[in-house]
Amino acid sequence: MRRPRKTTMALTSVGAVLLASAAVATAVPAGAAAAGCSVDYAVSSQWQGGFGANVTITNLGDAISGWTLTWSYGAGQTVTQAWNATVTQSGAAVTAKNVSYNGGIATNGTASFGFNGSWTSSNPAPTSFALNGVTCTGDTDPTTPPTDPPPTDPTTPPPSGPADITVNSATRYQTVDGFGAAQSIWGSAWSTAETQTLVGMGANQLGLSIVRTGLSPVSSEWATHVNSLKTAKASGSNVKILASPWTAPAAWKTNNSRVNGGKLRTDYYDDYANHLNSYVQYMRGQGVTIDVTSVQNEPDWHPDYDSMDWSGTELRNFVRDQGARVQNTRLMVAEAVNLNYNFTDPTLNDTTARNNIGYIGGHLYGTEDAGRLRPYNLAAQYNKPVWMTEWNLHAADGGGSNIWGNPANTAVWNETLDDIMRTVHRSMEANWSAYIWWYGKRYYSFIGDGESAYGTVAGAPLKRGYAFSQYAKYVRPGYQRVALTKSSKASPLEVTAYQGGGKVTLVILNRSNSAVNNAVVQAPQNVTAAEHYLTSLNANAASQPTSVNGGQATINVPARSISTLVFTL
């Protein structure tokens, strides 16, 4: 076992205190260190070109409420990242300051922090420290030999400081299909520019990777969204299209109406399958692949607008007997209001019906209260990805209709962070593969609709859109969710991690009222770069500073924020 190099500095005489105090009299704060303060500087690990160090300050005296420790390096060492303190460097001079979250200051007047650094030909310990301008002097233990570099495995990151979030890519969960939103089901289509804003990957674009569109019972209406769907396919990256029907043609239903529910008559099951297939082939002829086709939107809800009522058994019978008629797409069952398993279990439990579908769908209305915002084990057993295909919430309207155009409105941000973003996080933890919001263009949504009463600009990204893009833009289709562990310091954070496309991506929610600064994130291997993007009340997917060392990055996570850290492997 290698013995860490340790240097202990202590005030040894009153004369030394007076001399040091006189030299920096104008810089000493009222709460200066008391006589007897000491500093332990220990090189805890060292490797070729780098090292980790831990520093403990004892006998802080009046400096408990705020301290600044300074020292100088004599061999060109450079601090690269720190934890439990803010550490800056100017030339050889290093300054460490306590931070508000630091738990290292105990009632006995002790503070501790750590950092990583780089070195070249040698790595001697500092010979003196000053605490709030008062110099501590002592023996540097010159007999301690330098620490030899440990043998390194090129596939293993060098030893470094303790991580607050550690990604474990050996444990893998669901493959992500994407994050998206719906077009207007009964209204006009998105414009080309609006579509590009929603699905594009450039600056001030939101990166949606799924577009949900309505499958009208009237074929003459199918052309409405062709151009926007073609734009989505061309402007995004691997964008998937989900087509959802609200009803069959009225003449095929038991109530002879498009609205108020009513069942599809069994003698029209084949016609309905042909209807779905005709839509898919029409779109295909227009250059638009319909990746997923739902059998029915909300079979358990029959309001006074387009709707159709099914039981789970009827859905099973339809996809079992007619599902193979719908070509060049994958069928989805059943988009029930709250992912009610009664509408999906019968299909999953029937071999023929199960083989005729590709996806399980469900909505989020009441799902969490029903205890179903969790892994759907039967779907996982048969390798059927679960998509959350609709949710809509804008209770913040009660704070004033024009608040949606104000990016600094607290009520809007709180609802976005605590409800929408939290449920995206929970859905990913539940092993669901997709999360699709309701309308992408609406005053309470991702881009504004221009309604003057609500204060939004048509086509302009809204705060909720920037927040959602923290998932959509950086967790791309085909990425796989992987495991992670957190330290106690990171416990307020809600984090999921993903790997794919040569990247490891973490989405981090901090819904607490305290920042988690200098959080150290450990990747599964050495990385070439790290990028950090943040949305909060005051920032919109804004790039944030981060430092990288081997397989680690250090980031600041502000209170009440959502951010994304992207490692490039």
Side-chain angles (χ1 to χ4, degrees):
M1 179 176 291
R2 292 181 174 84
R3 181 164 64 96
R5 183 186 302 128
K6 182 178 292 186
T7 305
T8 302
M9 314 295 178
L11 290 176
T12 55
S13 68
V14 174
V17 175
L18 294 176
L19 180 62
S21 299
V24 292
T26 60
V28 178
C37 68
S38 63
V39 178
D40 269 357
Y41 177 104
V43 175
S44 55
S45 58
Q46 181 170 297
W47 57 95
Q48 187 61 44
F51 69 98
N54 294 316
V55 180
T56 301
I57 313 168
T58 55
N59 300 325
L60 279 163
D62 293 336
I64 269 187
S65 60
W67 53 262
T68 299
L69 185 71
T70 58
W71 70 89
S72 293
Y73 281 125
Q77 302 100 313
T78 301
V79 174
T80 58
Q81 61 182 30
W83 49 94
N84 288 344
T86 299
V87 181
T88 58
Q89 186 169 353
S90 177
V94 181
T95 301
K97 295 183 179 182
N98 73 308
V99 287
S100 59
Y101 66 83
N102 187 356
I105 300 178
T107 54
N108 64 357
T110 297
S112 60
F113 62 95
F115 58 89
N116 290 331
S118 62
W119 63 284
T120 53
S121 57
S122 63
N123 186 23
T127 57
S128 65
F129 294 85
L131 180 65
N132 288 359
V134 179
T135 301
C136 302
T137 59
D139 183 5
T140 62
D141 192 11
T143 61
T144 302
T147 305
D148 295 327
T152 52
D153 179 344
T155 64
T156 303
S160 51
D164 298 301
I165 303 171
T166 301
V167 178
N168 173 18
S169 60
T171 301
R172 295 175 176 257
Y173 303 104
Q174 80 273 28
T175 297
V176 173
D177 288 314
F179 302 86
Q183 295 183 317
S184 176
I185 302 303
W186 298 279
S188 60
W190 297 337
S191 70
T192 296
E194 290 165 347
T195 306
Q196 290 170 337
T197 297
L198 285 161
V199 307
M201 297 292 287
N204 294 314
Q205 295 180 330
L206 307 181
L208 303 187
S209 50
I210 299 176
V211 174
R212 186 181 184 221
T213 192
L215 198 168
S216 173
V218 181
S219 61
S220 62
E221 297 178 357
W222 292 351
T224 302
H225 295 293
V226 166
N227 288 338
S228 58
L229 294 177
K230 289 175 70 173
T231 301
K233 286 285 191 179
S235 303
S237 175
N238 298 322
V239 170
K240 292 180 174 65
I241 307 298
L242 163 65
S244 296
W246 262 246
T247 183
W252 300 353
K253 296 170 60 182
T254 56
N255 66 350
N256 200 35
S257 172
R258 286 176 53 161
V259 303
N260 296 314
K263 290 185 177 295
L264 177 67
R265 288 168 46 183
T266 56
D267 53 327
Y268 280 100
Y269 273 23
D270 56 346
D271 293 292
Y272 187 59
N274 290 335
H275 169 73
L276 300 181
N277 184 63
S278 294
Y279 171 85
V280 173
Q281 305 318 318
Y282 167 81
M283 284 295 179
R284 193 164 178 245
Q286 300 297 315
V288 177
T289 298
I290 302 298
D291 301 274
V292 183
T293 302
S294 174
V295 173
Q296 177 63 47
N297 171 74
E298 297 181 347
D300 50 343
W301 181 246
H302 20 82
D304 58 357
Y305 51 82
D306 284 358
S307 51
M308 191 159 66
D309 180 31
W310 299 74
S311 70
T313 301
E314 290 163 342
L315 286 163
R316 178 203 64 194
N317 293 346
F318 176 81
V319 297
R320 180 193 65 200
D321 300 336
Q322 306 294 336
R325 291 176 179 267
V326 189
Q327 298 291 305
N328 307 117
T329 190
R330 300 301 305 276
L331 289 180
M332 171 182 284
V333 172
E335 297 195 83
V337 168
N338 54 21
L339 191 59
N340 189 330
Y341 300 156
N342 290 330
F343 291 86
T344 47
D345 278 0
T347 295
L348 288 170
N349 284 321
D350 183 283
T351 302
T352 303
R354 182 173 67 242
N355 289 340
N356 281 342
I357 68 165
Y359 297 88
I360 294 296
H363 295 174
L364 203 57
Y365 307 106
T367 300
E368 188 169 15
D369 291 341
R372 286 191 289 273
L373 211 175
R374 58 181 172 84
Y376 187 0
N377 294 329
L378 188 61
Q381 177 182 337
Y382 293 114
N383 196 30
K384 302 298 180 183
V386 176
W387 283 20
M388 198 298 288
T389 59
E390 184 185 312
W391 196 42
N392 177 19
L393 177 70
H394 51 99
D397 285 352
S401 61
N402 64 350
I403 63 175
W404 295 96
N406 176 11
N409 186 273
T410 304
V412 169
W413 178 242
N414 288 345
E415 182 178 275
T416 296
L417 191 67
D418 294 328
D419 293 307
I420 288 76
M421 296 305 108
R422 179 187 61 82
T423 57
V424 180
H425 169 79
R426 288 286 311 281
S427 297
M428 293 300 102
E429 285 197 323
N431 292 331
W432 299 356
S433 294
Y435 187 108
I436 305 171
W437 177 249
W438 181 229
Y439 283 174
K441 178 187 176 182
R442 200 71 173 97
Y443 66 87
Y444 52 76
S445 192
F446 299 161
I447 62 174
D449 57 14
E451 290 190 32
S452 58
Y454 296 102
T456 67
V457 176
L462 298 173
K463 179 69 72 176
R464 186 161 290 182
Y466 283 115
F468 195 76
S469 77
Q470 299 283 166
Y471 285 97
K473 198 170 185 178
Y474 306 107
V475 182
R476 302 304 300 168
Y479 284 20
Q480 195 166 12
R481 189 170 71 90
V482 297
L484 59 86
T485 56
K486 298 186 298 183
S487 70
S488 58
K489 172 180 166 180
S491 60
L493 307 178
E494 297 166 286
V495 189
T496 49
Y498 311 83
Q499 185 162 350
K503 299 181 185 297
V504 169
T505 301
L506 296 93
V507 185
I508 305 167
L509 275 71
N510 184 5
R511 296 191 297 117
S512 77
N513 292 317
S514 299
V516 178
N517 291 319
N518 294 318
V520 178
V521 183
Q522 177 71 58
Q525 63 191 76
N526 282 340
V527 301
T528 60
E531 303 162 272
H532 186 210
Y533 302 95
L534 171 82
T535 298
S536 66
L537 194 61
N538 304 308
N540 294 326
S543 178
Q544 303 294 299
T546 180
S547 59
V548 181
N549 179 37
Q552 289 188 341
T554 301
I555 60 175
N556 293 329
V557 184
R560 305 293 297 159
S561 69
I562 178 171
S563 63
T564 309
L565 177 64
V566 181
F567 287 111
T568 300
L569 304 179

